[in-house]
Amino acid sequence: MADHGLRERKKRATRQLISNVASGLFIERGFEEVTVAEIAEAAGVSKMTVFNYFPRKEDLFLDRHADRLAELVSVVRTRSAGVSPVAALRAHQHSLVASGHPLSGAIAGGPGFWWVLTSSPALMARWFEQEREIAEAFAEVFVAETGDAFRSRVVAGLLTTAITSVFSHAMGRIVAGDDADVVRREQVAFIDQAFDLVEHGVGGFPGGSG
Amino acid sequence: MADHGLRERKKRATRQLISNVASGLFIERGFEEVTVAEIAEAAGVSKMTVFNYFPRKEDLFLDRHADRLAELVSVVRTRSAGVSPVAALRAHQHSLVASGHPLSGAIAGGPGFWWVLTSSPALMARWFEQEREIAEAFAEVFVAETGDAFRSRVVAGLLTTAITSVFSHAMGRIVAGDDADVVRREQVAFIDQAFDLVEHGVGGFPGGSG
DNA sequence: CCGAAACTTTTACCGAGTCAAACTTTGGGC
DNA sequence: GCCCAAAGTTTGACTCGGTAAAAGTTTCGG
């Protein structure tokens, strides 16, 4: 019943072990070049057990998704009265950058992650799927608040686009070799640019007032 | 050398045959429930040949993607001077609905397609990937026009969100049993709503001026 | 300390996708 | 018309991701 009996601790440890071993192998040699059987063996566990903890091979690498999703939803759902989702998420992105959080994208350790991710179509597909899940989660919150399903889904999609754009922009620069501190400093402006586009519209882009 | 020798004609015919046979089976029984070997046999062709024409199983069902992508890019690239991408794409969506085009989403034959698509995670993943490709194609056009990579990618993402939102909204209603003509008539307002959000911003949504 | 519940392993299997080699068809040159 | 090269197809064997079921093995509650 307790949530930290020997059983639970072992499970957590096993899960962590598998994830660590897998990430290590992926970053060393690439996603497609490592088989699940190999991961299982390296972790001293059976193939079935790997799939027990991580239903798809991709989840071995993208296992922070649940946390990220929960955090983003929480930012929107628990925002103060009078604060719009755009404002809340904008502030959240700023704080990620300020605190040097990995999900800001502007983090020195990123290249390995990014390389593994982008060099595997399967992994990219899963990544996009996760972005989609974020959008759906936002939409749910908005529908609950407003009852307007269509508008909720559109706005949710737009917000998600802003978030993913700023993340991948920072990551792209890091991978291109830019200094992490520089990127982090300049990222502030890009965040505002993206959220401004969502908040105030793209207008006649490209062109004049846009 | 000619592009319509016997050889080319046969290839086209074979490709079409495989695609037709596959779509028929998918709509009849669902994507996951049909194996590639089965499709090959039903089309009187070997499994290898199927993969020769369609690199992934998903492409057997989503084989109009290339056309759709080309059309959307062309709408943006060949828009008249002084017309913004938002305006061009908005008009294009309206014309799709007006002409009863399948890609408007408001089409009676849609449920089969939609059912197959939504009941297969693999197919959905590929679908999202294709939307992503559309966004990337838009971004390329904008970068060429403006040189502003970041802004281009954000705007491209926002526009793609609008397009996919209106499509899936129409499709959702059709699947829910709404009359196609009614959906088509009402779709006009939803298109404008989505593109207005992109063009003028979501503001403080949800709330007052939004 | 025993028995039930939870977790893991084993074994066997299926389907997508790849590879290489053999085979068949098409088209061009003579 | 005939033959050769190129293009396309088939075959068969194989890898890998993922599932299923049943038989261990470990933990926990009483």
Side-chain angles (χ1 to χ4, degrees):
Chain A
M1 174 168 275
D3 137 291
H4 39 8
L6 176 52
R7 210 172 210 133
E8 298 300 320
R9 255 183 301 136
K10 259 196 172 177
K11 273 180 68 174
R12 248 192 280 276
T14 302
R15 191 194 155 89
Q16 200 57 47
L17 172 67
I18 295 173
S19 174
N20 290 346
V21 167
S23 294
L25 290 171
F26 290 151
I27 287 183
E28 191 182 333
R29 312 203 329 251
F31 185 75
E32 324 267 6
E33 282 66 38
V34 179
T35 72
V36 174
E38 202 176 344
I39 293 164
E41 196 185 3
V45 112
S46 83
K47 198 178 92 172
M48 260 312 268
T49 300
V50 173
F51 283 117
N52 236 351
Y53 285 98
F54 303 91
R56 308 255 96 99
K57 187 189 178 187
E58 292 84 31
D59 299 331
L60 281 165
F61 191 67
L62 301 174
D63 67 331
R64 312 269 290 240
H65 170 60
D67 296 341
R68 184 188 187 198
L69 178 63
E71 183 174 328
L72 287 171
V73 168
S74 147
V75 164
V76 171
R77 189 179 271 136
T78 70
R79 68 193 195 274
S80 311
V83 176
S84 70
V86 197
L89 286 169
R90 186 198 291 253
H92 181 245
Q93 291 298 315
H94 280 306
S95 83
L96 286 180
V97 169
S99 66
H101 193 285
L103 287 179
S104 70
I107 190 77
F113 174 85
W114 199 246
W115 170 71
V116 173
L117 179 62
T118 56
S119 62
S120 159
L123 223 33
M124 287 298 282
R126 190 72 163 198
W127 179 253
F128 297 150
E129 221 181 328
Q130 292 182 348
E131 293 182 352
R132 190 64 167 224
E133 279 172 40
I134 292 171
E136 272 161 28
F138 283 163
E140 251 183 68
V141 176
F142 297 157
V143 170
E145 286 185 23
T146 70
D148 184 340
F150 179 74
R151 182 166 290 239
S152 290
R153 278 200 301 260
V154 175
V155 172
L158 300 178
L159 285 169
T160 306
T161 297
I163 293 170
T164 62
S165 295
V166 299
F167 175 82
S168 72
H169 179 256
M171 194 53 95
R173 291 189 63 187
I174 294 284
V175 171
D178 289 14
D179 179 73
D181 279 331
V182 174
V183 173
R184 204 156 64 199
R185 235 178 298 122
E186 299 181 356
Q187 187 67 356
V188 174
F190 286 110
I191 292 172
D192 281 330
Q193 206 179 329
F195 281 91
D196 282 347
L197 283 167
V198 172
E199 187 164 13
H200 303 120
V202 306
F205 172 94
S209 61
Chain B
M1 175 167 274
D3 138 290
H4 39 344
L6 177 53
R7 213 176 203 120
E8 298 300 320
R9 255 183 303 136
K10 258 196 171 175
K11 273 179 68 174
R12 247 192 285 274
T14 302
R15 190 193 155 89
Q16 199 57 46
L17 172 67
I18 295 173
S19 173
N20 290 346
V21 167
S23 293
L25 290 172
F26 289 152
I27 288 183
E28 193 181 331
R29 311 201 331 250
F31 185 75
E32 323 268 7
E33 281 69 36
V34 179
T35 73
V36 174
E38 202 176 344
I39 294 164
E41 195 184 4
V45 110
S46 84
K47 197 178 92 172
M48 259 310 272
T49 300
V50 173
F51 283 118
N52 235 353
Y53 285 98
F54 303 91
R56 307 256 96 101
K57 185 188 178 189
E58 293 85 36
D59 299 330
L60 282 165
F61 191 67
L62 302 175
D63 66 333
R64 312 268 292 238
H65 170 60
D67 296 341
R68 185 189 186 197
L69 178 64
E71 183 175 328
L72 288 171
V73 168
S74 147
V75 164
V76 171
R77 189 179 272 136
T78 71
R79 69 191 194 274
S80 311
V83 175
S84 70
V86 197
L89 286 169
R90 185 198 292 252
H92 181 246
Q93 290 298 315
H94 280 307
S95 83
L96 285 180
V97 168
S99 66
H101 192 285
L103 287 179
S104 71
I107 190 76
F113 174 84
W114 198 245
W115 170 71
V116 173
L117 178 62
T118 54
S119 60
S120 158
L123 223 33
M124 287 297 283
R126 191 73 162 196
W127 179 254
F128 297 149
E129 221 181 328
Q130 293 182 347
E131 293 182 353
R132 190 62 168 224
E133 280 172 39
I134 292 171
E136 272 161 28
F138 284 163
E140 252 183 66
V141 176
F142 297 156
V143 170
E145 286 184 25
T146 70
D148 184 340
F150 180 74
R151 183 167 290 237
S152 291
R153 278 199 302 260
V154 175
V155 172
L158 300 178
L159 286 168
T160 305
T161 298
I163 293 170
T164 61
S165 295
V166 300
F167 175 82
S168 72
H169 180 255
M171 195 53 94
R173 291 189 62 186
I174 294 284
V175 171
D178 289 15
D179 179 73
D181 279 329
V182 173
V183 173
R184 204 155 62 200
R185 233 177 300 122
E186 298 181 357
Q187 187 67 357
V188 174
F190 286 110
I191 292 173
D192 281 329
Q193 205 179 331
F195 280 91
D196 281 347
L197 283 167
V198 172
E199 189 165 10
H200 303 120
V202 308
F205 172 93
S209 60

